[in-house]
Amino acid sequence: MQNNFYFLSHLSPRLNSILKGKVLSECFCQNKDELIVVFGDQSNDQFKFVIKASLSPSFTCLVFPEHFSRANSNSTDI
């Protein structure tokens, strides 16, 4: 679903408006074939926007969770 042009053409402007002015604060993985990217505000540490990408060969998806906590173990910085 997230691999076609129609979906990405609607998602891109929305992400652009959300991420404008944000900085990449964390990028890590906790599971195989998974990437978690966290964007934050320099002025406000409480606002964070999380993109969780599941990139397995059989199924690819993007998830935008409102609340996310990083695991203490089995987590690798990228």
Side-chain angles (χ1 to χ4, degrees):
M1 179 168 104
Q2 287 98 348
N3 295 334
N4 67 43
F5 174 77
Y6 182 76
F7 178 82
L8 292 175
S9 68
H10 285 81
L11 178 65
S12 297
R14 178 79 171 128
L15 286 178
N16 187 36
S17 66
I18 292 171
L19 297 177
K20 189 170 260 183
K22 306 292 184 280
V23 293
L24 177 67
S25 61
E26 295 179 71
C27 186
F28 59 94
C29 62
Q30 296 183 151
N31 298 316
K32 183 180 177 184
D33 299 328
E34 179 182 83
L35 176 68
I36 297 146
V37 184
V38 181
F39 295 92
D41 246 343
Q42 289 179 335
S43 60
N44 185 3
D45 284 340
Q46 291 181 328
F47 178 77
K48 293 188 177 184
F49 185 75
V50 180
I51 300 174
K52 183 178 175 182
S54 177
L55 306 168
S56 67
S58 60
F59 181 69
T60 302
C61 72
L62 297 174
V63 180
F64 307 101
E66 290 185 19
H67 304 286
F68 186 82
S69 59
R70 186 173 181 173
N72 291 334
S73 63
N74 199 27
S75 180
T76 304
D77 288 328
I78 298 176

